[in-house]
Amino acid sequence: MKPPQAFSMGAGFKIKTKDGGGGAPAPPSGVKIEHRIGIQASSDAIWELIYDLSTWKDWNPLYVEAEGQVRIGSALALKMVLPGDEPMVIRPTVLEWVPYEQLHWRLRLMGGLVTTTRYIEIEQLGPASCVVSNGEIFGGLLGPYVAKRMGRKVWRGFEAMNQALKDAAEQRWRAEGGAPTSDA
């Protein structure tokens, strides 16, 4: 039997089914939606914005309010606004975090019929050059259905968040005397 194939519905929009087979620990299975963006700033400048949840309201159009601490097992309270939808408060639990590299959390919806693993990962390419992967894996019995139904809105939310993160991180990097940026 052939494994499911990934498909692209637009630049940077990917939905991929993981089979989780062999070798290393299996990644979460389900449907993956991800947006990636290049940011010309240090991973420090990017991480400071991600880590400080209290400032998300100042720059983040997807999560307009955020409370909690970035600690493994800690509960967060996030007011999420997907494009075209009413705001919704979600209460995920921090799964993992590595300073200057990644933040992962898990959310269970509909009595566990939908389980999502959300991630924001920073890949440093150089002193002032990073790629940020912003995505979510939809698992559980109804996860693939929810991902298919809401995928475009979720991706647009990730895209808006990434662009706002890029703008804020590059502005912070410039203010701290860093260069170059994508505005140069």
Side-chain angles (χ1 to χ4, degrees):
M1 179 175 193
K2 282 179 126 178
Q5 299 295 311
F7 67 94
S8 177
M9 295 175 70
F13 181 78
K14 296 178 186 170
I15 296 179
K16 192 182 298 182
T17 302
K18 301 252 185 187
D19 64 5
S29 63
V31 177
K32 177 178 173 180
I33 299 173
E34 178 180 78
H35 182 272
R36 294 169 51 94
I37 194 166
I39 300 178
Q40 292 194 3
S42 70
S43 61
D44 294 13
I46 298 166
W47 178 253
E48 289 169 12
L49 291 164
I50 293 169
Y51 182 76
D52 188 357
L53 300 179
S54 69
T55 66
W56 281 22
K57 66 184 178 311
D58 300 329
W59 65 267
N60 192 334
L62 181 58
Y63 300 105
V64 296
E65 292 177 17
E67 296 177 3
Q69 293 187 331
V70 177
R71 301 280 182 264
I72 293 174
S74 177
L76 305 177
L78 307 173
K79 183 184 271 187
M80 180 176 70
V81 182
L82 289 172
D85 283 357
E86 292 294 317
M88 173 174 59
V89 175
I90 59 171
R91 300 188 187 286
T93 301
V94 176
L95 282 179
E96 177 179 24
W97 68 285
V98 177
Y100 310 103
E101 291 182 15
Q102 65 185 22
L103 171 60
H104 296 184
W105 67 72
R106 174 161 293 143
L107 178 64
R108 296 185 193 282
L109 300 166
M110 300 169 62
L113 293 174
V114 177
T115 301
T116 70
T117 301
R118 181 79 171 82
Y119 60 90
I120 304 166
E121 297 176 344
I122 305 166
E123 179 184 355
Q124 185 156 350
L125 305 176
S129 180
C130 297
V131 172
V132 172
S133 300
N134 191 347
E136 192 159 15
I137 300 168
F138 290 79
L141 186 62
L142 295 180
Y145 168 77
V146 171
K148 184 176 182 179
R149 186 174 157 268
M150 306 219 20
R152 174 96 33 212
K153 285 183 184 183
V154 169
W155 185 84
R156 284 186 189 129
F158 294 165
E159 178 185 39
M161 180 179 170
N162 270 356
Q163 187 60 54
L165 178 61
K166 174 185 175 74
D167 294 345
E170 289 181 354
Q171 180 180 6
R172 177 176 284 205
W173 182 242
R174 279 193 306 272
E176 293 171 357
T181 68
S182 58
D183 289 341

